[in-house]
Amino acid sequence: MKINSKKDYKFFLEADLKALNIVPSLKNKLTHDIWTFQKKLRKLEYYLNCKCSPLGKLFTVYLRLNLRRKGRKLGFSIPPNVFGPGLSIAHAGTIVVNSNAKIGCNCRIHVCVNIGADINDGSKAPKIGDDCYIGPGVKAYGDIEIGSNVGMGANAVVNKSFGSNLTIAGVPAKIISQVGPLQYRDTSE
C-alpha cells in the first residue's frame, strides 16, 4: 500500500501518529523529532506518487534533501515508499533500509536495524508483512519474505523466509514461538 491521494496521505499520517502514541499538540509538533521525520517522509511520498508538486521536480528534490538532513540527524536512512501506514520508529539511532524492501502496515522498528539487499542482486530485498515488530539490532537481508504478525527478537539475523504469527530470534534466526506480537499484546491487556 502506498500514498496515491490526499486522502491516503492523511490516513498514513493519522496511522503513524497513532502508532507512535503521541498526542498531536503544539509541543510535540515542535519537539518530537521522530514524528517530524515521519511527516517529512510521508510528504515526500505524497508528492512523488501523486506528481502534484507545486514547483515540479525542484520541489521534490527539496523534500528529499530536507528528509535526508533530518534522517542524518536522527541516524535514519529510510527511503520513501517502503513502509505502510502505522510506522512506529521507537528511538533515534541507526536504521538503514534498502529502497527495494517492502514493509506492511503497523510496523514497529527499533535502533540498529538493517534491512538490506541480496548479496548477488541489489534489487532483491526483504518483503515484510503487516503488524511486525523489528527489535533492536535486527539484520534482515536478501530475497526473503516474512509474514504478518511476526516479532523479530533483538540482534536476530534473518536470512531466510518465515510465515506468519511467529516470533523469531537468533543467529541465524529461527522460530522460538508460534505467537506473534499481536497475541502478546492481546494477552497483556
Side-chain angles (χ1 to χ4, degrees), residues 67-78:
L67 178 68
R68 184 182 301 165
R69 182 172 50 248
K70 189 66 166 180
R72 283 185 178 156
K73 177 182 175 190
L74 297 171
F76 305 155
S77 178
I78 300 175

Side-chain angles (χ1 to χ4, degrees), residues 147-184:
S148 295
N149 190 30
V150 173
M152 294 177 233
N155 296 315
V157 176
V158 185
N159 60 357
K160 65 181 181 178
S161 296
F162 288 93
S164 297
N165 304 311
L166 307 165
T167 299
I168 59 176
V171 180
K174 63 183 177 187
I175 298 171
I176 61 166
S177 174
Q178 297 291 331
V179 176
L182 291 177
Q183 286 94 356
Y184 284 121

Side-chain angles (χ1 to χ4, degrees), residues 15-83:
D16 288 356
L17 190 63
K18 183 180 176 187
L20 286 168
N21 199 25
I22 59 172
V23 179
S25 65
L26 179 62
K27 177 187 172 225
N28 283 334
K29 193 172 192 172
L30 297 173
T31 62
H32 202 290
D33 286 339
I34 293 171
W35 174 231
T36 302
F37 174 83
Q38 287 188 216
K39 286 189 299 186
K40 290 175 187 288
L41 176 67
R42 298 311 188 184
K43 187 173 189 175
L44 175 59
E45 291 173 348
Y46 170 69
Y47 282 109
L48 284 173
N49 299 342
C50 298
K51 297 182 179 32
C52 56
S53 178
L55 301 172
K57 290 186 179 187
L58 184 61
F59 188 63
T60 55
V61 168
Y62 164 76
L63 291 174
R64 278 188 191 277
L65 293 173
N66 201 3
L67 178 68
R68 184 182 301 165
R69 182 172 50 248
K70 189 66 166 180
R72 283 185 178 156
K73 177 182 175 190
L74 297 171
F76 305 155
S77 178
I78 300 175
N81 296 316
V82 171
F83 287 93

